[in-house]
Amino acid sequence: MATYIIGDIQGCCDELQQLLHLADFNPENDELWITGDLVARGPKSLQTLRFVKGLGDSAKVVLGNHDLNLLAIHQGVQDDREKDKLSNLLAAPDCDELLNWLRQQPLLIRHPQFNFVMIHAGIPPQWTIPQAEHYAKQVELELQADNYKELLTAIYDNQPNSWSNQLQGSARSRFIINALTRMRYCFLDGSLEFDHTSAPEQTDLSKLKPWFEFDSLDRSSEIIFGHWGSLLGKVNKSGIYGLDTACVWGNSLTMLRWQDKKRFSLACPIYCT
């Protein structure tokens, strides 16, 4: 059995299936771990959700910011933007079923055999990995509850951007979601920064630092993430793997086979215009 881990798919269902074929993925024996952002910007978000859901227990998914935004659109919290290409998904007869499945997915997941955890964006340098697992579970329970629209209504703000265990209610949940699904850079004091999306070599690092560059980061488990397409998978930190290689921007879809660390990559058309 092989464990494959793939970066942000974002509705690139054809490319996903081609890449799985290239790697000889067998859902009867293999696992597919997905770093989140299954939907948005690519042309086939509906088909992507149907395909991944259809893999059953062979697929392990964490939620990304685009996945949460889809849930918010469905609940009337956010507007459906044409550039996200979600209209046919939202109009599909199985939309409710698919999105109910989606909101049952975790924000952080640990492999039961291998020493790695997977999140969409990152782990704040103030948290240990066990703390990140605990905080993620708190929000997952909110998202899976009947009144989950209240959570979705409260997540659209950049504040608070500094962690305190004294945070309560929507402020606490919002920080946890922003850290796990939106973070790229932190200020030098470890507080979250959301404006910069470019790669570190194109960014003034006198005031900012990638979250994975902090010495305080807990490295007791290896960490796998997506979200940061401009990195193109270049992290250069032992035990930390970035797998978003900006497939919808005309770059590639990338998948890692954990057992031998072989990477599979497939060039993608430009879908974001």
Side-chain angles (χ1 to χ4, degrees), residues 7 12 42 100 115 136 140 178 185 188 197 200 209 246 266:
C12 297
N100 185 60
N115 185 33
E140 289 162 18
N178 282 342
Y185 289 101
L188 301 186
T197 63
K209 184 183 290 190
L266 183 74

Side-chain angles (χ1 to χ4, degrees), residues 71-72 74-78 103 142-143 145-155:
L71 294 172
H74 183 249
Q75 289 298 305
V77 174
Q78 290 289 297
R103 72 181 179 94
E142 291 185 69
L143 189 60
D146 291 341
N147 62 342
Y148 70 99
K149 182 176 180 179
E150 294 180 15
L151 172 67
L152 296 172
T153 303
I155 64 176

Side-chain angles (χ1 to χ4, degrees), residues 1-5 19-34 51-52 54-60 111 113-114 255-259 264:
M1 184 183 81
T3 299
Y4 294 93
I5 312 157
L19 191 58
L20 293 175
H21 178 74
L22 178 68
D24 293 324
F25 172 78
N26 181 353
E28 297 296 322
N29 300 308
D30 301 330
E31 289 183 337
L32 180 64
W33 289 56
I34 304 171
F51 177 75
V52 174
L55 291 175
D57 291 340
S58 297
K60 310 296 181 184
H111 197 282
Q113 177 183 357
F114 304 118
M255 184 167 67
L256 174 73
R257 185 166 60 205
W258 185 255
Q259 282 81 354
F264 300 83

Side-chain angles (χ1 to χ4, degrees), residues 63 71 99-105 143-146 148:
L63 293 170
L71 294 172
L99 298 198
N100 185 60
W101 168 83
L102 187 65
R103 72 181 179 94
Q104 307 303 316
Q105 306 311 308
L143 189 60
Q144 294 163 13
D146 291 341
Y148 70 99

Side-chain angles (χ1 to χ4, degrees), residues 57-220:
D57 291 340
S58 297
K60 310 296 181 184
V61 176
V62 293
L63 293 170
N65 54 304
H66 283 291
D67 305 316
L68 291 172
N69 193 60
L70 169 61
L71 294 172
I73 293 169
H74 183 249
Q75 289 298 305
V77 174
Q78 290 289 297
D79 293 330
D80 178 19
R81 302 174 299 181
E82 183 177 353
K83 67 179 182 179
D84 285 332
K85 302 180 177 69
L86 295 172
S87 57
N88 66 330
L89 167 55
L90 293 164
D94 54 345
C95 178
D96 289 352
E97 176 187 347
L98 291 168
L99 298 198
N100 185 60
W101 168 83
L102 187 65
R103 72 181 179 94
Q104 307 303 316
Q105 306 311 308
L107 291 166
L108 182 154
I109 188 170
R110 177 185 289 276
H111 197 282
Q113 177 183 357
F114 304 118
N115 185 33
F116 73 74
V117 296
M118 181 176 73
I119 68 285
H120 179 61
I123 295 177
Q126 308 95 314
W127 294 353
T128 65
I129 290 175
Q131 285 175 326
E133 293 179 276
H134 176 68
Y135 300 145
K137 180 58 67 176
Q138 291 178 348
V139 175
E140 289 162 18
L141 292 174
E142 291 185 69
L143 189 60
Q144 294 163 13
D146 291 341
N147 62 342
Y148 70 99
K149 182 176 180 179
E150 294 180 15
L151 172 67
L152 296 172
T153 303
I155 64 176
Y156 288 90
D157 197 306
N158 291 342
Q159 297 297 323
N161 70 335
S162 295
W163 173 252
S164 167
N165 201 39
Q166 304 306 310
L167 289 174
Q168 299 294 324
S170 60
R172 183 183 182 90
S173 299
R174 186 162 55 246
F175 181 95
I176 294 168
I177 286 175
N178 282 342
L180 296 176
T181 71
R182 293 184 58 215
M183 175 178 62
R184 294 181 181 92
Y185 289 101
C186 296
F187 293 105
L188 301 186
D189 64 359
S191 57
L192 310 187
E193 194 274 348
F194 298 108
D195 292 334
H196 290 78
T197 63
S198 59
E201 60 267 23
Q202 300 169 326
T203 302
D204 180 0
L205 299 180
S206 64
K207 296 180 180 179
L208 299 176
K209 184 183 290 190
W211 64 268
F212 51 78
E213 295 278 357
F214 280 80
D215 292 338
S216 59
L217 183 68
D218 182 358
R219 301 178 190 272
S220 59

